[in-house]
Each structure stands twice: as structure tokens, then as C-alpha cells.
Amino acid sequence: MKKLPVIIDCDPGHDDAIALIAALASEKLEVLGVTAAAGNQTVEKTEKNARKVLEICARTDIPAARGRTKPLRNPLSVAPEIHGDSGMDGPLLPEPSMPVCKESAAVLIAKLVEESPQPVALIVTGPCTNAAVFLLAYPHLHKKIAKISLMGGGAYLGNRTALAEFNIWTDPEAARIVMESGIPLEVYGLDVTHKAMIYRQEFSLFRQRKETVFQFLADLLDFFGGTYLEARHLPGAPMHDSCAVIGLTNPELFTYRETTISVETESARSRGALTMDLRPGAERQDSVCGKIALDVDREGFLKVLLRACETITRQRREKGYAS
Ligand code: BDR
Ligand code: CA
């Protein structure tokens, strides 16, 4: 089977780490590179966390680069109340030893896209800053981007404000550049990511397995589920970012609506909110530019994550790592 080449721009982040695991385990994707955005924490921290995840998955062959230190216009406002001071508090991991690329995120994305014989999908699970910088700087490469799959926004929900979700709210100008680029777009917003919930009583599915990756996931879930209980009163851990990966590998698990999608950047009250047209019949208009996921088969989704941990465990063993 021909794999879809992907580049993941992320801000790990507990759920970003789980998204990376899902992507690295999939036989349908080939991860060409991982780039880090400033979002959940400063880019120095998210980039270090990205390398920690690559190391735990025995994928130190994948290049990792650091992106911009701040959004295009907003000051950076990080989320320690959800992800802790390190951006990935909970699991105790050694400092990463694999090197970080000398190129910036946008330059690495351009290089990997240019070198790829096939069009590449861009998966964005943090603020869109790096993706926007890449799109602005390399217009001739747009045709080599097969699609952009991103976690952000919501049709009916916000979390950072009543109307805006964290990733989009952090850098609305960048999100608008990405969404108005004309590149096929898949959006996984809070409507669906809150349905892709692992409930607290299910964390033991990971904890009961003694292998490294299962324990890592259980540590992530304990911390993330804990902060979500405290800050948002949710009954589990919403798997926001892995939706943008599993949507590519298992689209049959999701229900989508086609629509126009953009971002409100002007109004003070709704800055960072998605703008879309979900009126019945609107999807037949010429201006449709993407699809938004609104529902997911939660149990199917959980099975994909459990299988991903099995796969990474096997891959670690094959490479001589302790299980
Ligand atoms: C998004 O914000 C971050 O906290 C998560 O990693 C996810 O990408 C959810 O609003
Ligand atoms: Ca994220």
C-alpha cells in the first residue's frame, strides 16, 4: 500500500503526543518530519517534548524542527492550566538526546515537501503559525500539499472564549491564511474532539499494560484528564489532536459536513471563532473549501489508539529497545 506522506506541526501537549503516536503507528502514513509551534507552551518546550515523543517511539530518524516563538500578531499566551509548566507534565522522561534541526519549521516543511515525490498532507495540531509562514513564503509549493488536516475551532463550541478554541484563538491571522489558502481542508473542532473522549474509567486500558508506550499514554491521560476535570469539569480526556491524524487514516469513523470555513479576526468579541455555513443546502455552493468533522465512532477511535500502542511496542522491540 502506498503511504500518504505527512508532516506534523504540533505543540506537544498531551494530546499532541498521542496524535504523534497514532501517526507513527499507522501503516497508511509516512511521517516525513515533525515541527513544533508555540502554543500550549513556549516553542523551546514544545519542540523538546516533540523529540521526547519521537525517542519514546524509537523514531529518532525523523527530523524535528522548531517554529516561530510567537503568533503572527497576538502575544503568546500558553496553557499551563491544561498542560503544566513543561507543556507535557505527568510522564517522567529523560531529556531528549536526538538533535533538533538547524532549519526553522517553515524551512524544514518546504524542504521535505520539495523532496517528496508525492504530494504531502500537512497535519496541524497547534496554532497555525508555522503552517501560515510556510504557505506565505513558498506559494509555489501549495500544489504539492495534498490537504491540510487540522485540529482547531468548533462549529458550536469554544474553549478559550465562548466562541473561540485555543489553537485558533492563539493565532487567528495564521489560521485564516491556512483556511483561505484554497488547499483542501479538514477541520476537527471541539464538537467532535469532545466526543472522542477517553473516559476516566477507561484509563486503566492503558495503565494495565506494562509496556513503555502504554504506560506513557496512561501518564499523559492521568495528567490531562486531571486538568480537564479541574478546569473544565469533563469526565475524561478529550482526544483533540489525534482526531486530525485518525481522520486521515480512518475517515470511516467520522461524520463530516462540507462547508466554507474561515476565521473571524476583526471583532473583539468573536476573534478566533470559525465562520462557516452549515445551513442545509449551503454545501452545494461553489465556495465550499473544506469539511468539518461533527461526530465520531468513539469506541472505534479508542480501538485505533490501543492498536497504535501495540504497534509502537512492536516497533520498539524490533529496534532492540526495552519493551
Ligand atoms: C487544543 O488546544 C491544546 O490545548 C490541545 O493540544 C489542542 O490542540 C484544544 O483546544
Ligand atoms: Ca495541540
Side-chain angles (χ1 to χ4, degrees):
M1 186 206 315
K2 213 168 181 191
K3 293 185 173 194
L4 173 66
V6 298
I7 298 169
I8 305 178
D9 187 66
C10 53
D11 61 339
H14 298 73
D15 53 330
D16 300 80
I18 297 171
L20 284 170
I21 288 173
L24 294 168
S26 171
E27 81 272 9
K28 295 184 185 163
L29 304 182
E30 184 193 353
V31 180
L32 302 180
V34 174
T35 54
N40 287 327
Q41 262 301 347
T42 62
V43 75
E44 289 76 16
K45 293 182 181 178
T46 60
E47 178 274 308
K48 197 187 267 194
N49 293 338
R51 282 185 293 143
K52 287 182 179 175
V53 179
L54 287 172
E55 289 192 356
I56 210 169
C57 293
R59 292 305 306 270
T60 53
D61 56 306
I62 295 177
R66 190 180 291 177
R68 270 179 62 104
T69 53
K70 48 185 174 43
L72 298 185
R73 193 174 125 194
N74 281 353
L76 178 65
S77 174
V78 296
E81 73 285 5
I82 299 292
H83 297 277
D85 185 53
S86 71
M88 207 170 73
D89 277 11
L92 295 174
L93 298 175
E95 288 296 289
S97 55
M98 67 179 278
V100 60
C101 287
K102 51 185 188 320
E103 296 99 340
S104 69
V107 173
L108 179 67
I109 295 172
K111 180 172 162 247
L112 295 171
V113 170
E114 225 148 25
E115 286 169 356
S116 170
Q118 265 175 270
V120 174
L122 206 52
I123 300 175
V124 182
T125 66
C128 293
T129 319
N130 298 330
V133 171
F134 160 73
L135 291 175
L136 289 175
Y138 301 93
H140 68 288
L141 291 179
H142 289 202
K143 58 181 181 305
K144 282 198 73 185
I145 304 296
K147 62 169 83 164
I148 298 175
S149 176
L150 71 85
M151 188 284 137
Y156 304 107
L157 284 174
N159 58 9
R160 197 61 181 203
T161 71
L163 294 171
E165 176 278 334
F166 178 79
N167 288 343
I168 307 295
W169 175 88
T170 298
D171 198 341
E173 281 74 20
R176 187 164 172 183
I177 289 165
V178 168
M179 292 188 185
E180 295 185 1
S181 66
I183 294 169
L185 184 67
E186 296 186 12
V187 175
Y188 298 84
L190 296 173
D191 317 276
V192 74
T193 67
H194 279 204
K195 291 177 185 162
M197 174 93 67
I198 304 186
Y199 292 113
R200 207 154 279 108
Q201 62 272 21
E202 293 169 330
F203 293 178
S204 60
L205 292 171
F206 296 88
R207 181 63 76 201
Q208 73 198 1
R209 296 285 303 266
K210 294 303 160 216
E211 298 94 331
T212 305
V213 176
F214 283 96
Q215 289 296 311
F216 176 51
L217 227 106
D219 290 342
L220 291 170
L221 290 173
D222 279 347
F223 187 90
F224 196 51
T227 55
Y228 260 100
L229 180 63
E230 206 166 297
R232 307 266 156 78
H233 311 290
L234 291 186
M239 293 293 95
H240 304 295
D241 291 341
S242 41
C243 287
V245 171
I246 296 176
L248 293 184
T249 58
N250 299 78
E252 72 285 356
L253 296 176
F254 291 85
T255 307
Y256 298 93
R257 282 285 305 275
E258 294 205 323
T259 178
T260 56
I261 310 182
S262 191
V263 180
E264 172 57 45
T265 53
E266 305 302 330
S267 136
R269 195 173 293 179
S270 54
R271 185 167 154 78
L274 295 191
T275 57
M276 61 189 92
D277 192 348
L278 294 174
R279 289 173 297 172
E283 68 275 7
R284 291 194 295 275
Q285 290 170 9
D286 291 345
S287 52
V288 161
C289 65
K291 53 186 196 171
I292 182 160
L294 293 176
D295 206 353
V296 63
D297 167 357
R298 194 192 75 85
E299 286 179 7
F301 186 92
L302 178 57
K303 280 187 195 143
V304 173
L305 286 181
L306 285 162
R307 272 203 305 274
C309 290
E310 293 286 0
T311 306
I312 301 284
T313 300
R314 181 170 41 74
Q315 290 170 353
R316 279 174 57 92
R317 279 200 198 107
E318 283 166 6
K319 291 190 176 165
Y321 285 61
S323 65

